[in-house]
C-alpha cells in the first residue's frame, strides 16, 4: 500500500452529531473504512467525489479513517468529542 493524499477530510475534530466531510477531485470510486483505535472496523463504504460521515452514533474518542483507491491509501485520525 502506498500512502497518498486522495481526499480532503474536514474537520478532523468534530462534536458528536456533526458530519465529517470527505471530498476528492477524482471521479473514481474509492473505498472508505472507519476504524476504532482497537482496530475494529465500524464503517465500510464506497463513494465518488464526496461522502458525509455522521458522528451521531459514534462514541467520543479517536478513530482512524482510511480511504483507498487501487494500491493507494490515505489515513487520517479523526477525533469525536
Amino acid at each position: 500500500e502506498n500512502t497518498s493524499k486522495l481526499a480532503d477530510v474536514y474537520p478532523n475534530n468534530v462534536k458528536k452529531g456533526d458530519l465529517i466531510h470527505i471530498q476528492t477531485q477524482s471521479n473514481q470510486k474509492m473505498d472508505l473504512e472507519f476504524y476504532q483505535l482497537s482496530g475494529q472496523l465500524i464503517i465500510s463504504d464506497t463513494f465518488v467525489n464526496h461522502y458525509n460521515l455522521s458522528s451521531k452514533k459514534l462514541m467520543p474518542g479517536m478513530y482512524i479513517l482510511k480511504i483507498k483507491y487501487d494500491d493507494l491509501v490515505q489515513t487520517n485520525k479523526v477525533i469525536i468529542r
Side-chain angles (χ1 to χ4, degrees), residues 5-72:
K5 168 112 173 163
L6 297 170
D8 292 318
V9 177
Y10 56 95
N12 64 353
N13 188 332
V14 298
K15 189 174 85 176
K16 183 177 170 81
D18 288 352
L19 292 175
I20 301 158
H21 303 277
I22 299 138
Q23 181 75 45
T24 180
Q25 301 301 317
S26 171
N27 288 322
Q28 303 300 319
K29 186 163 69 168
M30 297 193 185
D31 297 314
L32 174 141
E33 296 174 348
F34 198 71
Y35 294 89
Q36 291 180 331
L37 276 186
S38 66
Q40 180 182 358
L41 177 65
I42 36 182
I43 298 170
S44 180
D45 210 343
T46 59
F47 72 100
V48 175
N49 292 115
H50 190 258
Y51 190 91
N52 286 326
L53 178 67
S54 173
S55 64
K56 191 175 187 177
K57 296 181 180 179
L58 301 172
M59 296 299 295
M62 186 179 295
Y63 295 84
I64 303 296
L65 170 67
K66 288 190 176 185
I67 300 164
K68 298 180 178 183
Y69 173 70
D70 283 341
D71 64 340
L72 303 175

